[in-house]
Amino acid sequence: MEELLFDKGEIATMTVNRPKALNALNPAVVQEMAKVLRDVRHDRSIRVLIVTGAGDRAFIAGADIAAMAQMSVVDGMEFCRLGHRVAATFEDLPIPVIAAVNGFALGGGTEVALACDLIVASEKARFGQPEINLGLIPGFGGTQRLPHRIGQARARELIMTGDMIDAKTAYEWGLANKVVAPEQLMAEARALAEKLASKSGFALRQAKAALRASFTMTESEGLLYEQSAFGLTFGSADKAEGTQAFVEKRAPKWLHR
Ligand code: CAA
């Protein structure tokens, strides 16, 4: 059975498919994710990507602990580098990415979700960075992205105690965008994806890149980046269409998908 499923379409879905191991990420699955993401990046027919986990228990219960138990220092660093590359690729994709978190999102699972643009969580979702309980630290970007998303106090609490939080807390802490009944999860994620797919792809791309700059640049560099990206949108057919449609009191017909 394939351990990573990919359902291509205008709204594409990537599903980690190791339900017996609660969708833990071994190096082979992370390599496969990197490969699929390379194709997604260049496929102009895909407008939104949804990432989820197979089964009803887990999104991704972290990196595969049995695999990590066998790794040397060099293997560990390589695995970390691979995870970083995948997380950075999610962030650099020109399209929005939604994490549909159906259960445990622990360690690398929370870290994959953090690299997505939006998180829709089932009421059954649990988030956490339990690496400390394994004598490890987060290795797929959690030490950097988690404090950026939920603030230093809460990130330090999660990373240092290894405690899990439930979906409601994740929502209150600004980690999850939405919490829904488990049976509604994929429908809600798809509805959100359809809403995003109805926007100007060019404007969404500029917005995503500028938001990313808030993470990778200083505030003054990021503001300069925003000036350029905002200016760039003025040369697009979608800016002409969007502003004209408003003036004419009609729905816009976007040209850049
Ligand atoms: N790696 C490998 N296997 C895992 C796993 C993981 N991260 N998480 C769960 N599994 C496996 C279990 O070993 C078990 O397999 P068997 O049936 O073959 O024994 C199966 O999934 C079901 O798990 P449990 O029996 O433990 O289920 P549970 O309901 O009792 O507990 C759980 C669920 C609390 C999520 C528990 O499985 C757990 O604590 N998992 C580990 C979570 C974790 O520590 N994640 C962080 C990993 S480190 C990391 O991610 C580093 C990084 O930043 C990149």
Side-chain angles (χ1 to χ4, degrees):
M1 193 164 61
E2 284 178 48
E3 293 190 326
L4 188 75
L5 307 176
F6 184 63
D7 184 15
K8 202 180 134 169
E10 188 164 272
I11 294 167
T13 306
M14 178 191 278
T15 306
V16 180
N17 187 32
R18 302 187 71 213
K20 285 196 180 128
L22 301 185
N23 302 320
L25 297 176
N26 58 25
V29 175
V30 188
Q31 301 257 20
E32 198 53 34
M33 286 171 109
K35 219 170 356 172
V36 169
L37 288 175
R38 256 199 315 271
D39 294 341
V40 171
R41 165 178 285 286
H42 299 291
D43 189 333
R44 299 294 298 272
S45 69
I46 300 173
R47 309 284 317 277
V48 183
L49 176 65
I50 297 175
V51 185
T52 193
D56 59 359
R57 294 209 58 216
F59 172 69
I60 295 167
D64 190 306
I65 298 167
M68 286 192 299
Q70 308 302 320
M71 288 183 191
S72 66
V73 171
V74 173
D75 296 337
M77 286 182 78
E78 276 302 306
F79 189 38
C80 185
R81 216 164 62 89
L82 177 63
H84 283 182
R85 185 149 58 80
V86 164
T89 310
F90 278 123
E91 288 183 327
D92 288 337
L93 281 182
I95 56 169
V97 185
I98 299 171
V101 178
N102 47 318
F104 290 111
L106 301 174
T110 283
E111 291 168 303
V112 166
L114 280 168
C116 298
D117 294 293
L118 298 161
I119 300 175
V120 182
S122 142
E123 285 160 354
K124 282 171 44 184
R126 298 285 178 276
F127 295 83
Q129 298 283 173
E131 291 90 345
I132 200 80
N133 299 326
L134 300 163
L136 292 170
I137 68 167
F140 286 179
T143 60
Q144 308 303 302
R145 291 190 183 91
L146 193 60
H148 189 77
R149 184 73 72 98
I150 64 172
Q152 284 285 344
R154 284 163 171 167
R156 277 163 200 259
E157 184 181 333
L158 288 187
I159 290 172
M160 290 181 170
T161 65
D163 287 350
M164 285 185 222
I165 54 171
D166 62 15
K168 183 170 167 283
T169 308
Y171 175 74
E172 287 165 0
W173 286 12
L175 180 55
N177 295 84
K178 226 176 216 228
V179 180
V180 301
E183 60 280 9
Q184 288 300 319
L185 179 69
M186 289 316 288
E188 288 280 347
R190 256 197 108 73
L192 182 57
E194 273 159 18
K195 180 183 275 190
L196 296 172
S198 75
K199 309 292 177 191
S200 156
F202 181 77
L204 269 181
R205 235 182 341 273
Q206 301 311 319
K208 177 162 172 165
L211 283 159
R212 171 105 165 101
S214 78
F215 184 62
T216 57
M217 296 180 186
T218 63
E219 188 175 328
S220 54
E221 289 164 347
L223 286 169
L224 267 179
Y225 184 91
E226 184 187 88
Q227 283 177 28
S228 302
F230 183 72
L232 196 60
T233 58
F234 280 67
S236 77
D238 281 352
K239 173 264 180 187
E241 167 64 8
T243 51
Q244 192 61 29
F246 180 85
V247 171
E248 293 172 6
K249 301 189 187 303
R250 61 173 174 81
K253 292 193 192 76
W254 304 122
L255 286 110
H256 294 296
R257 294 174 51 79

